[in-house]
Amino acid sequence: FVWDANEAVWMGRFKELLDFKSCNGHCDVPRRYPPNQKLAKWVKVQREQYRQYTTDRPNYLTEHRIGMLQSAGFNFVEQKTSLRTNKKQSVDSLKSISKNKHRSASTKNSTDGNKKRSWESWFQKLVDFREKHGHCLVPLKDGQDPALSYWVIRTRGLYKRYNLGKPSTMTAERIDKLNSIDFVWDANEAVWMGRFKELLDFKS
């Protein structure tokens, strides 16, 4: 049974976006895309929702969704790209996917090592941010380091997937390291608790 129809629809379109990326190598679905015009419209809406999110206007784009889109390599600003649609190029695209699978298998160990080093470097940036600001709530809006903001959002998304038993690069070791610096797993809850504390201070 589907408890949240809107979430189910969103996840369905996100999966279609991943399928598009696997065939084309990017997430820049053109505005006119006859094979799946609904996906093209959905991509346009995500960019519009993101603009509203960054300007404090009503929107339904959550940090979790932003993190998922970011992890897929989604461009929140439309890119001018030409989509190859003829049959020959489609066949070439499928061949390329097959080759990439073999290549990824042979280079997995090297890639995993790079990812681990990359995670450690991002973690150190977050440690530096905490030492400077006293917390790990890296702002997305008007932030001086948007890349770190996206990493934090993606980390929360990976943590949720980890807890749900879904594929995720999050590990117990990384969770322990993040907890050691008081990482905020739920930004909305942290903000709410902050306001609640202010209310208690006002009452006193």
Side-chain angles (χ1 to χ4, degrees):
F1 183 81
V2 179
W3 295 104
D4 190 333
N6 291 330
E7 182 67 12
V9 171
W10 194 94
M11 289 301 297
R13 292 286 178 256
F14 181 72
K15 182 180 182 301
E16 291 174 3
L17 178 66
L18 295 181
D19 292 340
F20 175 91
K21 181 182 179 181
S22 70
C23 291
N24 298 280
H26 59 78
C27 295
D28 297 318
V29 183
R31 292 191 179 187
R32 293 184 180 181
Y33 183 54
N36 192 342
Q37 192 57 43
K38 289 184 177 180
L39 175 62
K41 182 178 180 180
W42 181 84
V43 165
K44 180 174 180 289
V45 169
Q46 302 315 299
R47 290 177 175 136
E48 292 173 348
Q49 289 292 307
Y50 179 73
R51 284 196 294 271
Q52 292 181 211
Y53 178 91
T54 56
T55 53
D56 289 321
R57 288 183 290 173
N59 67 90
Y60 62 73
L61 198 59
T62 63
E63 284 193 356
H64 178 55
R65 289 180 176 179
I66 292 174
M68 291 182 68
L69 290 166
Q70 182 70 13
S71 66
F74 183 79
N75 289 308
F76 289 100
V77 177
E78 185 176 11
Q79 307 293 308
K80 292 183 179 180
T81 59
S82 58
L83 181 68
R84 300 172 300 176
T85 57
N86 63 62
K87 293 183 179 180
K88 181 179 181 301
Q89 289 168 329
S90 296
V91 171
D92 290 342
S93 179
L94 291 174
K95 288 180 179 178
S96 176
I97 293 171
S98 178
K99 290 180 180 178
N100 287 336
K101 287 182 179 179
H102 291 293
R103 187 181 300 114
S104 62
S106 63
T107 59
K108 184 177 185 300
N109 291 335
S110 175
T111 301
D112 287 347
N114 289 335
K115 285 183 177 179
K116 185 175 182 180
R117 287 193 295 273
S118 178
W119 192 91
E120 292 294 342
S121 65
W122 282 114
F123 176 74
Q124 185 57 51
K125 288 190 69 173
L126 183 60
V127 170
D128 295 340
F129 177 92
R130 182 177 182 272
E131 290 179 353
K132 181 178 180 180
H133 301 279
H135 59 78
C136 293
L137 287 169
V138 185
L140 178 62
K141 304 168 188 176
D142 302 323
Q144 296 181 354
D145 194 343
L148 182 59
S149 301
Y150 285 127
W151 183 82
V152 167
I153 292 170
R154 183 169 182 267
T155 297
R156 291 182 183 130
L158 291 170
Y159 177 72
K160 290 179 181 179
R161 292 182 64 83
Y162 176 87
N163 284 334
L164 292 172
K166 296 182 179 181
S168 171
T169 55
M170 183 57 66
T171 64
E173 179 186 359
R174 289 178 176 180
I175 292 172
D176 288 341
K177 294 190 70 169
L178 289 164
N179 283 335
S180 71
I181 61 170
D182 299 320
F183 184 80
V184 178
W185 297 105
D186 189 332
N188 293 329
E189 180 69 13
V191 172
W192 192 92
M193 289 301 296
R195 294 289 180 262
F196 181 69
K197 183 178 183 301
E198 291 175 2
L199 177 63
L200 294 181
D201 292 341
F202 175 82
K203 181 182 178 182
S204 63

